[in-house]
Amino acid sequence: MIKMLSIPCHLNLTSALLEREHASLFFTAAHTEAGCSSSLVAVANAIVRHISRCVLIIDGHRGHSSLTSQLLSTTQKGFYNLVYTKEMPEINPLIWHEPNGLQCDFLPFGCDYPLQQPLERQRIKSVLNQLSQQYKYVLFDGPPVFSSPEAVSMAAQFDGVTLVLQAEKTRWEVAQAAVDRLQQGGANVLGAVLNQRKYYMPKWIYDLL
């Protein structure tokens, strides 16, 4: 029997976006290497093509394969400078316009910020509110649910959460546990993206089903 995740079926990502004048979306996965960053960029590109060009991607997941390391040649101040620094700097100078062929604007992870300070939820809300005045859609590349103690509390500050699942790798029990943890933390889980899906018959047949 096929197991289904307990994610609200009356919502999907497209309808959720179209119903809102502005939207902030937190992308996360249950574990690392699920392809969260690539899935986010694919969704951002689809939004740019079909809905609006006013899109901003925020890199919130540090690592050797982070979006910041892929798009920028050097470390730059960014999101975590905004939420950790006592006196928040201006946002616009930190935003990159379509770097390295990206089809939308980009706010890097950040550097040289005071890690000893606690992450304030209200500061995240303040940053998102300011960005919503410039961008119709803000997409955040967040850390995995089970790898970061701050992932759930951060996710709850966004309008919605998208869980990225790696096809044939992410077990449904693990995915369901991630959804449960997010929802218990107050996050609004909109749905899931199945990444790295393999087609065992021609894709055009799937499109007809």
Side-chain angles (χ1 to χ4, degrees), residues 17 71 183 193:
L17 292 175
L71 296 172
Q183 292 177 333
V193 171

Side-chain angles (χ1 to χ4, degrees), residues 88-209:
M88 189 170 68
E90 292 186 27
I91 295 180
N92 285 339
L94 306 182
I95 294 175
W96 291 69
H97 179 64
E98 300 184 4
N100 202 21
L102 192 69
Q103 296 182 28
C104 57
D105 288 355
F106 178 70
L107 180 61
F109 185 91
C111 64
D112 301 327
Y113 49 85
L115 281 172
Q116 67 273 16
Q117 293 189 21
L119 185 62
E120 298 181 9
R121 299 181 184 182
Q122 192 55 43
R123 178 65 74 87
I124 297 176
K125 275 290 189 184
S126 176
V127 171
L128 292 176
N129 288 338
Q130 291 187 52
L131 291 173
S132 69
Q133 298 175 18
Q134 298 179 239
Y135 297 96
K136 190 174 178 64
Y137 301 109
V138 175
L139 279 58
F140 189 91
D141 187 13
V145 175
F146 296 118
S147 300
S148 170
E150 297 175 340
V152 174
S153 61
M154 290 180 64
Q157 311 311 309
F158 289 74
D159 296 326
V161 177
T162 299
L163 183 66
V164 178
L165 308 176
Q166 186 178 9
E168 302 183 8
K169 293 289 186 180
T170 306
R171 297 171 55 220
W172 76 266
E173 297 95 339
V174 175
Q176 185 62 65
V179 171
D180 292 342
R181 178 171 292 191
L182 287 164
Q183 292 177 333
Q184 290 167 6
N188 176 27
V189 181
L190 297 177
V193 171
L194 186 61
N195 189 38
Q196 300 177 15
R197 176 183 177 184
K198 295 180 180 178
Y199 292 93
Y200 295 98
M201 62 177 74
K203 185 178 181 299
W204 65 268
I205 296 180
Y206 278 98
D207 294 337
L208 293 175
L209 297 179

Side-chain angles (χ1 to χ4, degrees), residues 32 36-37 58-63 65-67 80 109 140-144:
T32 58
C36 188
S37 299
I58 302 176
D59 183 11
H61 185 203
R62 180 170 55 182
S65 60
S66 69
L67 288 174
Y80 284 100
F109 185 91
F140 189 91
D141 187 13

Side-chain angles (χ1 to χ4, degrees), residues 41-52:
V41 171
V43 171
N45 289 340
I47 294 174
V48 168
R49 287 195 302 269
H50 302 296
I51 303 178
S52 172

